[in-house]
């Protein structure tokens, strides 16, 4: 079975704290993604990675960084948390896919982050 | 311009009835993939069904089917024989194959409520 896990379901942090959100997949997928989800805005891509140590900015990378030191693990880092980063964070992974095929993304359970 | 449009913020249906959730998309690519995900209140995004742009048959997965009308650029999700457990948020998403490594583009979602 496909499995994507995230380190926390709920997290409460203070403004200015450094926050780490961890995501692990056990499907040997090449691609990994971080999204944030906000009411009325849907899911927006923060960063993605298509290989170890590789990363690409998504639509809203400001205030975030990522790390991918191992294939199965993709970390999202909030360098200095702010209240406008209170959100639901979803990690996903997908295989590389054959040329012309749009590979399915599988999601973790999400982390609800509250920044006070 | 929005790439994925879900015009129904909320839908209400009774158990055992069928329901159609609308999705229209905008792309100039010839090769793309369309996905539907379900998000219950627990937060996890659950993959439901996939349709490739070159697939001639509409995709089906159990009670889910995708009514794909390429010329109209629509990819509606049909849920037959609704169950109480189908109450959730539903997202339509698209991946353009030409954009190698990029993430899914999501619509803003439709909330489905199933009553007994």
């Amino acid at each position: 079975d496909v499995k994507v896990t995230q380190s926390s379901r709920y997290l409460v942090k203070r403004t200015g704290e450094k926050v780490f959100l961890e995501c692990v997949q056990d499907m040997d997928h090449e691609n990994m993604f971080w999204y944030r989800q906000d009411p009325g805005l849907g899911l927006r891509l923060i960063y993605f990675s298509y290989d170890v140590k590789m990363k690409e900015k998504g639509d809203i990378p400001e205030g975030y960084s990522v790390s991918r030191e191992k294939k199965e693990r993709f970390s999202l880092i909030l360098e200095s948390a702010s209240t406008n980063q209170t959100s639901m964070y979803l990690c996903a992974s997908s295989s590389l896919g054959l040329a012309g095929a749009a590979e399915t993304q599988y999601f973790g359970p999400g982390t609800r982050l509250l920044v006070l | 311009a929005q790439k994925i449009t879900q015009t129904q913020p909320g839908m209400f249906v009774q158990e055992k009835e069928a329901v159609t959730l609308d999705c229209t998309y905008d792309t100039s690519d010839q090769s793309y993939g369309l996905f539907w995900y379900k998000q219950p209140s627990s937060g996890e995004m659950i993959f439901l069904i996939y349709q490739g742009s070159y697939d001639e048959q509409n995709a089906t997965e159990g009670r889910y089917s995708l009514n794909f009308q390429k010329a109209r650029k629509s990819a509606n999700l049909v849920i037959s024989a609704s169950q109480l457990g189908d109450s959730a948020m539903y997202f339509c998403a698209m991946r353009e194959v030409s954009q190698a490594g990029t993430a899914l583009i999501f619509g803003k979602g439709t909330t489905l409520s199933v009553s007994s």
Side-chain angles (χ1 to χ4, degrees), chain B residues 3-23:
Chain B
K3 290 234 168 183
I4 296 285
T5 303
Q6 294 180 253
T7 56
Q8 307 153 314
M11 289 285 284
F12 297 86
V13 68
Q14 289 214 304
E15 261 187 306
K16 300 178 186 165
E17 289 183 354
V19 61
T20 298
L21 306 183
D22 294 342
C23 173

Side-chain angles (χ1 to χ4, degrees), chain A residues 34-46 60 64 85-90 107 109-113, chain B residues 38-40 42-45 89-91 106-109:
Chain A
W34 275 107
Y35 295 88
R36 67 176 278 178
Q37 182 180 16
D38 301 287
L41 296 177
L43 277 79
R44 294 177 293 167
L45 179 67
I46 306 172
I60 49 164
Y64 303 96
Q85 291 179 310
T86 291
S87 186
M88 169 74 136
Y89 290 88
L90 289 155
F107 284 79
T111 296
R112 295 184 195 272
L113 172 67
Chain B
K38 171 185 178 181
Q39 187 179 41
S42 58
E44 185 173 359
M45 294 284 280
M89 191 104 169
Y90 289 81
F91 291 93
F106 284 85
K108 290 189 168 36

Side-chain angles (χ1 to χ4, degrees), chain A residues 12 15 18 21 23 63 98-99 109:
Chain A
V12 180
T15 304
K18 191 167 186 175
L21 303 182
C23 175
L98 300 172

Side-chain angles (χ1 to χ4, degrees), chain A residues 9 33 35 37 40 42-43 45 48 88 90 100-105 107-109 112, chain B residues 31 33 35 37 39 41-45 47 50 91 95 97 101-104 106 108:
Chain A
R9 292 300 301 271
F33 308 84
Y35 295 88
Q37 182 180 16
L43 277 79
L45 179 67
F48 69 95
M88 169 74 136
L90 289 155
E103 61 277 9
T104 299
Q105 290 187 22
F107 284 79
R112 295 184 195 272
Chain B
S31 185
F35 301 80
Y37 286 85
Q39 187 179 41
S41 55
S42 58
E44 185 173 359
M45 294 284 280
F47 166 68
Y50 163 77
F91 291 93
R95 186 183 183 283
V97 177
T102 58
L104 295 173
F106 284 85
K108 290 189 168 36

